[in-house]
């Protein structure tokens, strides 16, 4: 599908505040916006993940970027290079009426990814 890579950078740390810490990388090519089941390589290890590509509409942001939530991952990887393989798009980008609605959907996206990886 698509493969992206970059150095993890600090953004606004909103994902962390919402309970979904993400690794943010700049995009150097246009990829269709949405949520993707993905695999993220950190060093020599590949992790299961969920990746958002696009503009954070719920928070009225304008910057097009990638944010990857690595499942069951607790390491600090700021300033480290990662690669992300987008495997399957599970939904498009959407503006939610509140952060709470977004978190509810993110939990569903995470459950969908876990189901994908166990089937």
């Amino acid at each position: 599908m698509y493969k992206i890579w970059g150095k993890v950078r600090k953004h606004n740390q909103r994902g962390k505040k919402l309970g979904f810490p993400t690794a943010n990388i700049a995009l150097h090519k246009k990829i269709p916006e949405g949520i993707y089941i993905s695999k993220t390589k950190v060093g020599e290890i590949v992790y299961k993940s969920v990746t958002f590509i696009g503009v954070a509409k719920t928070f009225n942001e304008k910057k097009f970027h990638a944010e990857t939530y690595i499942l069951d991952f607790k390491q600090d990887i700021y300033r480290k290079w990662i690669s992300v393989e987008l495997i399957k798009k599970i939904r498009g980008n959407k503006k939610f009426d509140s952060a709470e609605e977004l978190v509810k959907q993110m939990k569903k996206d995470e459950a969908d990814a876990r189901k994908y990886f166990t089937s």
Side-chain angles (χ1 to χ4, degrees), residues 52-102:
F52 165 76
I53 303 289
V55 175
K57 296 177 181 181
T58 301
F59 303 101
N60 298 313
E61 289 189 6
K62 304 287 185 244
K63 187 170 184 170
F64 192 89
H65 67 285
E67 294 185 44
T68 298
Y69 174 63
I70 304 171
L71 304 179
D72 307 314
F73 189 82
K74 303 283 187 234
Q75 298 175 37
D76 178 357
I77 55 172
Y78 286 121
R79 297 169 304 285
K80 292 191 179 176
W81 285 87
I82 64 171
S83 65
V84 180
E85 179 184 358
L86 304 179
I87 299 169
K88 178 182 177 185
K89 186 173 181 177
I90 55 176
R91 69 174 174 87
N93 191 4
K94 178 182 174 185
K95 180 172 181 158
F96 293 88
D97 292 331
S98 68
E100 292 78 19
E101 282 186 34
L102 172 61

Side-chain angles (χ1 to χ4, degrees), residues 12-66:
N12 54 28
Q13 299 190 325
R14 186 180 298 119
K16 188 178 196 178
K17 294 171 192 164
L18 296 175
F20 290 86
T22 57
N24 297 273
I25 58 174
L27 286 175
H28 303 289
K29 59 184 170 182
K30 191 74 169 170
I31 296 172
E33 288 190 70
I35 306 299
Y36 294 83
I37 293 170
S38 57
K39 290 183 181 177
T40 300
K41 187 174 182 181
V42 180
E44 296 302 315
I45 302 172
V46 177
Y47 298 91
K48 300 167 186 170
S49 55
V50 179
T51 301
F52 165 76
I53 303 289
V55 175
K57 296 177 181 181
T58 301
F59 303 101
N60 298 313
E61 289 189 6
K62 304 287 185 244
K63 187 170 184 170
F64 192 89
H65 67 285

